[in-house]
Amino acid sequence: TDDLLQPGRVGFDPQRLKEYRAAVVDPDSGHKLAKAVAAVEANGLEALGERYSRPPAGFRADGDAARFLRYGALWTVEEAPGEIAESPGVVEHVMTHWRAALPIHRWLVDTLQR
């Protein structure tokens, strides 16, 4: 199956990375990615996945595109106190995080998983 969001995946495979980079520099999908990341960050999460110190050869970009071209993966994270894992509210906490991360998830699925 073509499953972009396999559990445990920590990076884009080479073909998916190529598609991701093309989407980042595309004016429409790149703008949508920037909006998705801004929404996630406004929800208190961090968007992570930066692996490279500069955009790859052959890509000239600035602003958000330059930032996202340095990514080899894209995920969200939140620092949560350890006691949450053992609390009765853990499921609601996880669902709140998942809902906050949805803009990036939707962008990834809509853009890269066809």
Side-chain angles (χ1 to χ4, degrees):
T1 52
D2 182 31
D3 188 7
L4 171 68
L5 303 173
Q6 292 176 356
R9 179 171 279 179
V10 184
F12 297 125
D13 64 46
Q15 179 59 38
R16 195 68 75 189
L17 182 59
K18 182 178 175 182
E19 294 168 1
Y20 167 79
R21 288 173 172 167
V24 166
V25 297
D26 176 85
D28 183 49
S29 60
H31 175 73
K32 288 177 182 175
L33 174 59
K35 284 181 63 174
V37 170
V40 165
E41 290 174 340
N43 286 331
L45 303 180
E46 287 183 77
L48 299 176
E50 187 172 337
R51 293 196 175 160
Y52 309 103
S53 60
R54 63 181 190 274
F59 288 90
R60 298 182 62 89
D62 56 5
D64 290 322
R67 172 187 174 191
F68 299 129
L69 283 171
R70 294 191 308 266
Y71 283 45
L74 183 57
W75 71 89
T76 63
V77 74
E78 170 196 34
E79 293 292 328
E83 62 269 11
I84 287 177
E86 297 177 10
S87 76
V90 67
V91 172
E92 184 54 39
H93 182 85
V94 169
M95 291 306 299
T96 299
H97 176 103
W98 186 78
R99 284 190 285 284
L102 264 175
I104 288 176
H105 173 82
R106 286 186 177 134
W107 184 88
L108 287 166
V109 170
D110 292 348
T111 306
L112 301 181
Q113 189 167 324
R114 295 179 217 108

